[in-house]
Amino acid sequence: MKKIFLTFAMAAVALGFSSCNETWDDNPVLNTHEGEITADFLNIPAMQNQSIMITNSNKDGHFNLTCSQPDFGYAAVATYKVQVSLTEDFTEFEEIAQAFYDCAQINPLNGDVAAVVEKLSGVKTEDDLPLPYQKVYMRLHAYVAQSASNTNYISNVVHFNSVSADYLAIWVADVPVNIYVRGGMNDWGSPAEWQFKTGTEENTWVIDNCTIAAGTEFKIAASIWETLNLGAGSNGNIVPGESFALDGGDNPGNITMTEDFTGKVVLTLEAGNYSVVFDPVK
């Protein structure tokens, strides 16, 4: 009887330990802290000494970084973002928006890196390119998304010795582009006063001031029609102040205004589709 009792007692203890362990595994404790902790968890990149020229043709390629996970208390699902600077002390830096979740595959796009490097280098136009080869420094911002405010870690700094870019990777406002309002008011030509410039927001273009009489037919197009030809679908009447979806198909119809217009024109590209707003002077 004593042996049977002892066996049951040992089994109960074993079950107790098992239960505690399972509870611990199911309820891990997250290490939290105030502010940002700097820790060495970013590995030296394999391409550190390779000369890297970022071009328009390879902008969808990527840099590769790897790391170990900071001490979150357990193997948490962490978010990693890449910060880029031109100085080792990161006095001035930009954080790339793309998030990564695999320590072995932290791969910022070449184009995103080029955009940061150009911005930090003061690039304004294509005349400022190509950039000289220079050191580019990177580090990681790591956190657990569910507790982002108190799990922030900043990694050690690594660098790439020789990085350059030869195309305009950043969006620069107020740059003339090959897009015009072309129609009856300018003999369907492409004079400078009807030319769009880049807007302050990416993928927007503006003409600050133009006048179009009601009933005048026009399109929004490049100086060569085959390059860009935006017009109307079934309904070609634009109401000033309202967004109008443009048709970029094969030779779309002409557009007209429902009333005389003077004001600003804003062209927008979103998800591959163009729209325009003729914003009248108030």
Side-chain angles (χ1 to χ4, degrees), residues 3-47:
K3 289 183 179 180
I4 295 173
F5 177 79
L6 182 60
T7 300
F8 276 115
M10 292 177 65
V13 170
L15 286 172
F17 278 119
S18 174
S19 176
C20 287
N21 286 337
E22 286 175 4
T23 301
W24 176 263
D25 290 340
D26 292 340
N27 298 281
V29 177
L30 184 66
N31 285 344
T32 60
H33 52 262
E34 296 297 325
E36 295 177 338
I37 292 180
T38 300
D40 292 338
F41 59 91
L42 177 58
N43 300 322
I44 295 174
M47 295 172 60

Side-chain angles (χ1 to χ4, degrees), residues 133-191:
Y133 283 95
Q134 59 190 311
K135 272 189 178 181
V136 172
Y137 297 88
M138 296 186 188
R139 67 186 184 187
L140 297 183
H141 170 206
Y143 57 93
V144 178
Q146 295 85 347
S147 303
S149 63
N150 57 2
T151 60
N152 287 288
Y153 281 87
I154 297 296
S155 78
N156 54 301
V157 175
V158 300
H159 66 270
F160 292 83
N161 277 322
S162 186
V163 179
S164 177
D166 73 350
Y167 80 103
L168 198 61
I170 57 176
W171 186 266
V172 180
D174 206 35
V175 176
V177 295
N178 185 23
I179 308 175
Y180 302 81
V181 177
R182 302 179 61 182
M185 64 285 177
N186 57 21
D187 295 325
W188 295 93
S190 51

Side-chain angles (χ1 to χ4, degrees), residues 217-233:
E217 295 187 346
F218 62 92
K219 288 184 175 182
I220 294 174
S223 56
I224 299 174
W225 292 103
E226 290 78 11
T227 305
L228 183 70
N229 185 357
L230 303 173

